[in-house]
Amino acid sequence: MRFQLLGPLALADGPDTVVLQPSKPANLLAALLLNANFTVSAGYLQRAVWGEEQPATAKAALQTCVLRLRRLFAKHGVTGTAIEAVPGGYRIVAGPPTLDLLAYRDQVRRATAMDRDPEAELYTLRDALSLWQGALLANVRSAVLHRDEVPRLAEERLRVVERVCDLLLGLGRCGEALVDLWTATRVYPGHERFHEQLIEALYRSGRQSQALAEYRRVKDFLREELGVDPSPSLRRLELSILRGEDLGPVGQAALAAPAPGQAAPVVSASVEAVGSGSASGAVVGSGSASGAVVSRVVRGETVPQLDAETPEPEPAPAPASGPDPAPAPAPAPAPAPDPAPGPDPAAIPTPVTAPALTSAPAPVAAPARAPVTVPPGAATGAPSAAGACAPSADAGVGPVPGVPHFTGRAAEAEAMAARLTAPPPTGPADHRALAVVVSGAPGIGKSALAQHVARQVGDAFPAGRLLVRMTRADGEPRTADEVAAALADDLGATGEGRALLILDDVVDADQVRPLLTPGGPPGTGPGLAVVVTSRMGLGGLIATHGGWVQRLTAFTEAESYGLLLAALGAERVEAEPEAAHRLTAVCGHFPAALRILTARLLTRPALLLADAVDWLGDDPLARLTLTDSPGHSVTGLFDRALDRLDPRLSQAFTHLAQGPPELLADEGPEHEGPVPEAVREQLADAGLLEDGPPGPYRIHGLLRAHVRRTARIRDRRTEKV
């Protein structure tokens, strides 16, 4: 059993998750888990549960809440975690395996120790960020926790996002950094460091005019909304761009510790937006346990040292009188050594202005990081004036990330897990990789299922689990040789035993065959298991190499409703069950559409689901997109899938989608005749037609609507010309 804090408060047991209803015991559990393994005073817990104005019976009612929580633990089989009554308050014992917040901080600490290996640090931080499951404590109705705790957690995540983006820039992977930075700058329009990274990434990618336009945008925002000018570093960056200067190596000044007294970047907007996980897995920074230390200092609790190199400041003693003394501010720690000028994303204090430091706890400084250097061979030839990012040598290999709000696919996940954990075959082909092919339409959830199952069966693969992107960001497929070379490096560093690979978004069978030959890719041992995800059926691969196929279709109505429950919370969905079912129907029970819909609804917590039905139904294709991340849209997904088709197949599919359903039948309309079955089979194999012989072919309603809409737009443009 595992507690989830980085999103709605929930209990998780394998694939099953119970999101707790808003209640007083939920407030209490959140307050204890946020300070796991430390004593939390009864007075603070009473404020967290009832607010600043408490009932006269709050002390007795707190004991009742504790009793209800213990019963809840027993009901759900929670073992190894208990709420302990200690002098002055209560304490809950947890560790990284049982609490996602501690697992996240543990991952960040391990990443900090990898400062000499930026690739490993980047993968570890991204794996940590995958633990964030949505809006922080969305189902916890405690003004005290949202005031005191949520901003601290948000700041921890923001530090990691900054660090991830610095690492991407330092490794020359500006295109990947841009994906995260577009989102971060729109969610936090006043966070100057994100804007500085975005402008730098644009300039190094050769997009000078966009970089200058972004500088003007943030300059106008700061002046109009906050009445301040951009920071000196932003102004220097603008001047360098105007002069066309080479920015030089990435990551030196940006990763050094801040000079003593340097102001933190201004952070605007609501911190709750940090909790919503982006589809890219994007955002946030390096803090490990420093935020937790600050809150414990505020409550006058004793904080042990984390390690010998980063001692924590001694808290100020709390007054001895009164039932619940007010906390005294902690003294500020001594500034860390300053190896080089420039802000360190690992040491940015919480977003308070200078005058507020008299009444707020001083930020805990994090250790300075070693600068990131561009690896040899990452760029060739003389640098351009813009210092543009060279194409990355990275082959898209990394740890398997988690899948936020994974629901449904229970039978498919169970069958896949059984196949992957079965003993490897024996005989003359005992070194052949065990392959599972997950196929289906674009956006149907192939990658999500593969990643979810891979994390479920981790114990069976002690040598590691790796996700291999078989296509680049521009849609071009990677070669088998390129992937094999990258795997040799990554798998060579893993332990002994079986390994699991997810070859994600395979274009055709020839791309993956060399990786499934006896012996497997370099660096793999006997019993290698491989999951292949592809829009294509890959029947030829199964015929020559064996394996097992899991073909995915749209969600059932129950699975769609379950996704809304997991993402939006039971309180919001069960308040309007009929509207929730209508929303899933408008989305055609299509997983990608439902993911985009829930992301939009999470950013509009006051929007009624019934109103969302009318709003979405007016133009679902236009509104099933994320405005701050245009690449995440149903129309973009379908366009990219159609672009992969042979032009003749694309033309045939457009004809089928625009015509009557009879075109998909074997006999076809009387005046036209059937479309050849070979063409229909190729389109079904590409995931664009559902079912097929011996049953009828079908086109998903959203896909058909997209093709017709695109044709209308094209026709209108032609008429105007």
Side-chain angles (χ1 to χ4, degrees):
M1 187 66 68
R2 179 183 180 87
F3 294 98
Q4 293 181 348
L5 268 179
L6 303 180
L9 179 62
L11 297 175
D13 185 9
D16 300 322
T17 301
V18 177
V19 178
L20 301 184
Q21 294 284 357
S23 62
K24 299 293 189 293
N27 293 357
L28 173 61
L29 179 59
L32 289 169
L33 290 173
L34 286 164
N35 300 277
N37 305 316
F38 287 86
T39 299
V40 186
S41 69
Y44 182 81
L45 291 175
Q46 290 169 22
R47 290 197 301 275
V49 174
W50 286 280
E52 299 297 344
E53 296 183 4
Q54 303 161 29
T57 59
K59 185 174 181 179
L62 180 64
Q63 296 172 349
T64 303
C65 284
V66 171
L67 181 61
R68 290 175 62 185
L69 281 181
R70 288 170 175 163
R71 289 173 179 169
L72 178 71
F73 290 1
K75 175 183 176 181
H76 291 287
V78 177
T79 58
T81 301
I83 300 176
E84 302 173 347
V86 295
Y90 292 90
R91 176 176 61 208
I92 193 168
V93 179
T98 56
L99 178 57
D100 60 356
L101 175 60
L102 297 182
Y104 168 77
R105 288 172 173 162
D106 185 60
Q107 285 278 77
V108 173
R109 270 195 294 271
R110 292 199 298 110
T112 304
M114 299 175 181
D115 55 357
R116 296 186 181 277
D117 187 350
E119 283 282 2
E121 183 182 357
L122 175 63
Y123 289 142
T124 305
L125 288 178
R126 281 189 156 168
D127 197 34
L129 289 173
S130 70
L131 295 173
W132 291 72
Q133 300 288 316
L136 282 169
L137 304 182
N139 56 335
V140 174
R141 303 292 189 261
S142 170
V144 170
L145 295 182
H146 282 278
R147 181 196 67 198
D148 297 345
E149 304 287 356
V150 168
R152 171 175 60 81
L153 293 179
E155 185 64 20
E156 285 191 45
R157 188 168 183 265
L158 282 174
R159 293 179 183 179
V160 174
V161 176
E162 290 181 13
R163 180 61 181 172
V164 165
C165 294
D166 273 326
L167 288 166
L168 288 171
L169 290 174
L171 292 166
R173 290 153 60 177
C174 297
E176 292 181 53
L178 285 172
V179 175
D180 294 349
L181 289 168
W182 282 121
T183 301
T185 52
R186 272 50 186 173
V187 174
Y188 303 100
H191 195 299
E192 293 187 68
R193 179 59 187 148
F194 283 147
H195 285 285
E196 187 176 348
Q197 290 172 315
L198 174 60
I199 293 167
E200 181 179 346
L202 288 169
Y203 184 51
R204 290 182 181 276
S205 301
R207 296 155 70 173
Q208 181 179 9
S209 59
Q210 282 185 271
L212 290 172
E214 185 64 22
Y215 175 81
R216 287 192 293 271
R217 199 185 73 81
V218 67
K219 178 181 177 181
D220 292 342
F221 173 84
L222 292 172
R223 285 184 172 176
E224 293 173 8
E225 299 294 328
L226 305 175
V228 298
D229 288 323
S231 65
S233 58
L234 261 177
R235 295 199 297 269
R236 287 194 297 270
L237 181 58
E238 182 213 20
L239 189 59
S240 296
I241 295 173
L242 290 171
R243 292 172 174 171
E245 296 175 351
D246 180 7
L247 298 183
V250 187
Q252 300 293 330
L255 297 179
Q262 182 173 346
V266 179
V267 179
S268 73
S270 161
V271 292
E272 281 127 335
V274 183
S276 57
S278 67
S280 62
V283 266
V284 222
S286 90
S288 56
S290 60
V293 171
V294 171
S295 71
R296 295 186 196 110
V297 170
V298 170
R299 288 192 286 278
E301 299 169 6
T302 303
V303 182
Q305 266 185 219
L306 294 179
D307 53 53
E309 296 179 358
T310 57
E312 303 296 342
E314 288 295 326
S321 61
D324 184 29
D338 184 19
D344 180 1
I348 293 176
T350 51
V352 291
T353 57
L357 292 177
T358 58
S359 59
V364 180
R369 296 175 178 271
V372 173
T373 56
V374 180
T380 58
S384 66
C389 288
S392 172
D394 169 57
V397 180
V400 178
V403 182
H405 312 307
F406 185 89
T407 55
R409 310 291 193 204
E412 293 90 338
E414 184 179 357
M416 279 183 63
R419 292 274 179 176
L420 292 172
T421 55
T426 59
D430 57 348
H431 290 292
R432 184 186 295 277
L434 169 66
V436 174
V437 175
V438 184
S439 61
I444 206 68
K446 303 178 293 295
S447 300
L449 175 63
Q451 293 169 24
H452 174 71
V453 172
R455 290 176 72 93
Q456 276 190 314
V457 300
D459 292 343
F461 298 96
R465 296 155 294 162
L466 292 177
L467 176 67
V468 184
R469 308 284 186 189
M470 298 300 288
T471 54
R472 299 185 179 88
D474 59 5
E476 287 298 311
R478 302 181 192 276
T479 66
D481 290 342
E482 177 185 351
V483 172
L487 286 174
D489 295 335
D490 283 83
L491 288 172
T494 60
E496 297 296 328
R498 300 183 70 192
L500 173 63
L501 300 182
I502 299 178
L503 305 181
D504 190 46
D505 200 13
V506 169
V507 175
D508 55 38
D510 290 337
Q511 186 189 20
V512 75
R513 275 196 180 100
L515 302 174
L516 299 180
T517 55
T524 61
L528 172 71
V530 177
V531 177
V532 175
T533 74
S534 179
R535 298 172 188 175
M536 308 299 293
L538 301 183
L541 180 69
I542 297 298
T544 57
H545 285 65
W548 178 73
V549 178
Q550 180 65 65
R551 184 81 173 181
L552 300 185
T553 57
F555 274 162
T556 64
E557 186 174 353
E559 287 175 326
S560 299
Y561 189 79
L563 176 57
L564 292 191
L565 281 173
L568 302 179
E571 180 185 21
R572 187 175 182 185
V573 174
E574 291 178 352
E576 301 179 81
E578 182 182 352
H581 283 292
R582 289 167 60 199
L583 276 175
T584 63
V586 173
C587 291
H589 306 293
F590 198 69
L594 290 166
R595 290 281 181 185
I596 293 170
L597 171 68
T598 54
R600 296 207 67 169
L601 290 175
L602 282 170
T603 64
R604 292 166 173 79
L607 179 65
L608 294 176
L609 299 189
D611 294 336
V613 173
D614 298 332
W615 165 76
L616 181 63
D618 288 342
D619 192 351
L621 288 171
R623 288 168 179 170
L624 285 172
T625 184
L626 301 180
T627 54
D628 60 345
S629 183
H632 293 96
S633 67
V634 170
T635 56
L637 180 72
F638 289 157
D639 281 337
R640 290 190 292 273
L642 294 172
D643 287 344
R644 283 193 189 179
L645 285 180
D646 178 276
R648 289 172 295 180
L649 276 180
S650 180
Q651 185 177 4
F653 181 72
T654 301
H655 175 61
L656 287 170
Q658 290 185 273
E662 291 79 11
L663 278 177
L664 294 168
D666 288 338
E667 64 277 5
E670 292 183 4
H671 65 281
E672 191 170 345
V675 172
E677 183 174 332
V679 173
R680 288 178 287 162
E681 273 291 277
Q682 285 179 281
L683 291 171
D685 192 57
L688 299 177
L689 296 184
E690 300 174 353
D691 292 340
Y697 293 98
R698 296 194 308 274
I699 300 176
H700 192 278
L702 283 178
L703 183 53
R704 184 187 289 274
H706 170 70
V707 173
R708 291 178 173 178
R709 183 173 183 266
T710 303
R712 287 196 302 271
I713 294 173
R714 184 176 60 247
D715 292 343
R716 284 200 298 268
R717 287 174 178 170
T718 304
E719 291 169 5
K720 290 179 181 179
V721 173

